[in-house]
Amino acid sequence: MAKTVSPENKVLNFIKSKKIKFVDLKFMDFPGQWQHFTVPTSQIDKDSFDDGYGFDGSSIRGWKKINESDMLIIPNASTMFVDPFVEAPTISLICDVYEPATKEKYSRCPRNIAQKATAYLKTSGIADTVFFGPEAEFFVFDDVRYDSQPNHCFYHVDSVEGRWNSGKEENPNLGYKPQYKEGYFPVPPTDSLNDLRNEMVLKLIDCGIDVEAQHHEVASGGQCEIDLKFEPLVKSADQLLMFKYIVKNTAKLHNKSVTFMPKPIQGDNGSGMHVHISLWKKGKPLFAGSGYAGLSEMALYFIGGILKHAASLLAFTNPTTNSYKRLVPGFEAPVNLAYSQRNRSAAVRIPMYSSSPKSKRVEFRCPDPSANPYLAFSALMMAGLDGITNRIDPGEPLDKDIYDLPPEELQNVPSTPGSLEEAIKALANDHEYLLKGDVFTEDVIETWINYKMEKEIKPMALQPHPFEFGLYYDV
């Protein structure tokens, strides 16, 4: 019988056999961006996966004060991938964050919260695995400029695909510019980014990520989507961060810039991140049944939980002020809280592509790719489990086009919050379901609310907007 090699030894053997020179240690800050530092391979051995590496936690957003700044990261050997963007041979390892004095996982580490969510699911007895399949849309720009000073502010983004460039002298301008709202999905040459997306897909596959499809998206100006195969909660969040890293850096190799900002272009479709979710137990899917759209009673209660807690959920799934410039009627963004089979104008959709029980899932369409996936996925799971535990009825499905409903019917359909501030206030009033199993803590909720209010909502409210000058300069 062949001897099993531990993940740690696999990493060390790979370093030796492939002559790797550096190990890049990546971890997640509180708002939702990867941070990193790099060590030469002489500084990693088997003890490194127990002892970890120290760093200054006071310099990470939303974390420690200066008088308690020492922190520890410990790499997870099973997350290794070869970094395709570093000149010297380098592997990357995703890390967990620890308190150095107690060796306990740090309560504000988003990956720790996702791990606690996974553990809570297993102890609940409802299921043992929750799968997530995110569809993160993004824009590819050729020029990005912005500034905000006391006496001026502006932004300017540009794309060779932008319909606004149809009359530009490009020496030559070949005229292949997707119409507004018609970027889904013309063939090349109108779709000028096919080769770039293919290169992104190949790099994703090389790094161990299963890709289902790539395509152009609806908006003019270089909007794209690459779909990843569903994975368990923590792995799905890990891979979404790898996905962002690989997509951004592949674009940079071609002197292009990728943004996952939800609404960078006025008047055209924004970028969402539809999230597909399913529960399994002992290898069997739990969402398939004989109810509406082939759903089980459990799945319907799961939907009930998401719809009940949707306003507070959006504080994590749509966590930027810009998120709510996408969540407006008319652009396929689901601002109305209802569920439906196939209907893409509903907040929760039940995809009907396949009749296989293994494919039965629910799709929450509100989120966008600015979300911290560890927090967003954990919160979605907790809301759904609350629906199952308390048998929350999602109400009747809405299979009509919600945007065409007469006012007397539409007034009975609840809406998503109109701003980040509304979502944050909803979270302050509705977060008990997140505290079960100590998955989220009061400290995490309070810190998230304070960070968003002090660093984003209040500063944005104080900033004069260029459009206001057109409205009010001559008052």
Side-chain angles (χ1 to χ4, degrees):
M1 183 180 293
K3 185 178 180 180
T4 302
V5 180
S6 69
E8 294 78 11
N9 282 333
K10 284 182 181 179
V11 170
L12 298 174
N13 292 341
F14 188 88
I15 288 172
K16 185 176 181 180
S17 64
K18 300 299 182 181
K19 298 181 179 179
I20 301 298
K21 301 299 183 184
F22 293 97
V23 178
D24 198 58
L25 304 169
K26 293 180 168 67
F27 63 99
M28 170 61 75
D29 71 4
F30 196 55
Q33 285 188 324
W34 252 358
Q35 309 293 317
H36 82 124
F37 61 90
T38 307
V39 299
T41 51
S42 61
Q43 299 302 305
I44 187 168
D45 56 27
K46 197 164 185 179
D47 290 339
S48 302
F49 296 96
D50 292 317
D51 299 337
Y53 300 85
F55 72 101
D56 176 9
S58 68
S59 297
I60 304 299
R61 298 181 298 169
W63 279 8
K64 293 287 191 176
K65 296 178 182 178
I66 191 70
N67 62 314
E68 52 181 14
S69 60
D70 285 356
M71 298 195 78
L72 200 65
I73 58 172
I74 297 180
N76 187 313
S78 65
T79 64
M80 181 186 72
F81 66 96
V82 177
D83 194 313
F85 305 106
V86 183
E87 185 175 345
T90 300
I91 60 167
S92 284
L93 294 171
I94 300 173
C95 303
D96 295 308
V97 183
Y98 288 76
E99 297 277 11
T102 63
K103 239 7 185 355
E104 293 180 348
K105 289 185 177 179
Y106 182 41
S107 62
R108 293 185 194 171
C109 171
R111 196 168 191 267
N112 174 37
I113 293 169
Q115 290 167 336
K116 288 194 294 181
T118 299
Y120 174 72
L121 175 66
K122 293 177 180 178
T123 61
S124 73
I126 294 171
D128 54 36
T129 308
V130 57
F131 286 106
F132 284 88
E135 300 174 351
E137 298 166 349
F138 56 93
F139 278 87
V140 180
F141 291 133
D142 295 282
D143 188 53
V144 183
R145 291 177 286 123
Y146 53 89
D147 197 10
S148 181
Q149 299 294 338
N151 67 321
H152 76 267
C153 62
F154 79 95
Y155 73 90
H156 181 273
V157 295
D158 204 3
S159 164
V160 294
E161 282 196 354
R163 189 68 183 180
W164 55 83
N165 284 324
S166 61
K168 184 179 179 180
E169 291 187 15
E170 294 180 339
N171 302 310
N173 186 331
L174 300 179
Y176 298 112
K177 318 286 186 186
Q179 295 270 9
Y180 296 112
K181 308 185 196 307
E182 294 185 13
Y184 187 91
F185 0 87
V187 298
T190 300
D191 176 5
S192 69
L193 298 169
N194 190 62
D195 286 339
L196 177 61
R197 292 195 304 273
N198 279 342
E199 184 177 338
M200 292 170 176
V201 168
L202 291 174
K203 282 184 166 59
L204 289 165
I205 293 171
D206 286 345
C207 290
I209 297 177
D210 287 334
V211 178
E212 293 186 337
Q214 62 89 347
H215 59 83
H216 205 285
E217 256 300 339
V218 174
S220 184
Q223 192 182 32
C224 299
E225 179 175 316
I226 299 174
D227 297 333
L228 310 182
K229 185 181 177 182
F230 63 89
E231 295 287 357
L233 194 159
V234 176
K235 186 174 182 179
S236 180
D238 285 345
Q239 290 195 346
L240 184 58
L241 296 172
M242 292 170 63
F243 167 79
K244 284 187 171 185
Y245 178 75
I246 291 165
V247 166
K248 286 180 179 180
N249 281 283
T250 304
K252 190 173 183 292
L253 292 176
H254 294 267
N255 207 30
K256 294 180 181 289
S257 178
V258 160
T259 182
F260 290 92
M261 184 178 180
K263 190 72 172 180
I265 294 176
Q266 184 268 332
D268 209 341
N269 284 51
S271 292
M273 185 177 72
H274 308 146
V275 179
H276 298 255
I277 315 169
S278 63
L279 291 178
W280 291 55
K281 189 173 185 179
K282 296 181 179 179
K284 295 182 179 180
L286 301 179
F287 277 4
S290 57
Y292 173 80
L295 292 177
S296 64
E297 184 179 57
M298 178 185 290
L300 289 167
Y301 288 144
F302 191 93
I303 292 171
I306 287 179
L307 292 178
K308 177 182 177 180
H309 299 296
S312 59
L313 278 174
L314 263 63
F316 291 112
T317 64
N318 303 73
T320 69
T321 58
N322 185 255
S323 298
Y324 299 85
K325 292 177 171 60
R326 165 185 167 259
L327 283 179
V328 294
F331 300 103
E332 225 182 73
V335 297
N336 297 289
L337 298 174
Y339 73 102
S340 174
Q341 60 182 348
R342 298 185 292 182
N343 190 343
R344 293 172 188 268
S345 61
V348 176
R349 186 176 75 97
I350 299 91
M352 302 297 289
Y353 299 124
S354 172
S355 59
S356 169
K358 293 182 178 180
S359 298
K360 190 56 62 178
R361 61 199 187 275
V362 300
E363 176 192 14
F364 189 47
R365 295 178 60 79
C366 294
D368 68 56
S370 67
N372 180 329
Y374 297 115
L375 302 183
F377 295 172
S378 298
L380 282 168
M381 187 204 78
M382 295 300 289
L385 291 186
D386 187 63
I388 294 170
T389 301
N390 293 297
R391 303 175 68 85
I392 297 173
D393 186 351
E396 293 298 316
L398 191 56
D399 290 329
K400 300 176 183 178
D401 185 342
I402 296 174
Y403 297 132
D404 287 339
L405 284 180
E408 59 271 18
E409 288 189 53
L410 190 59
Q411 68 181 1
N412 296 321
V413 181
S415 298
T416 56
S419 68
L420 177 59
E421 185 170 7
E422 286 184 30
I424 287 294
K425 288 179 178 177
L427 178 63
N429 294 323
D430 176 31
H431 61 260
E432 288 296 323
Y433 68 99
L434 298 171
L435 304 178
K436 295 177 181 178
D438 199 40
V439 174
F440 288 77
T441 64
E442 287 284 4
D443 172 70
V444 165
I445 300 294
E446 182 180 347
T447 303
W448 186 260
I449 290 171
N450 290 341
Y451 184 91
K452 289 294 173 178
M453 289 296 298
E454 298 301 322
K455 300 294 186 181
E456 300 177 30
I457 295 169
K458 289 181 180 178
M460 187 69 184
L462 296 174
Q463 174 66 57
H465 190 284
F467 190 69
E468 290 179 303
F469 280 76
L471 292 174
Y472 308 126
Y473 185 77
D474 193 26
V475 294

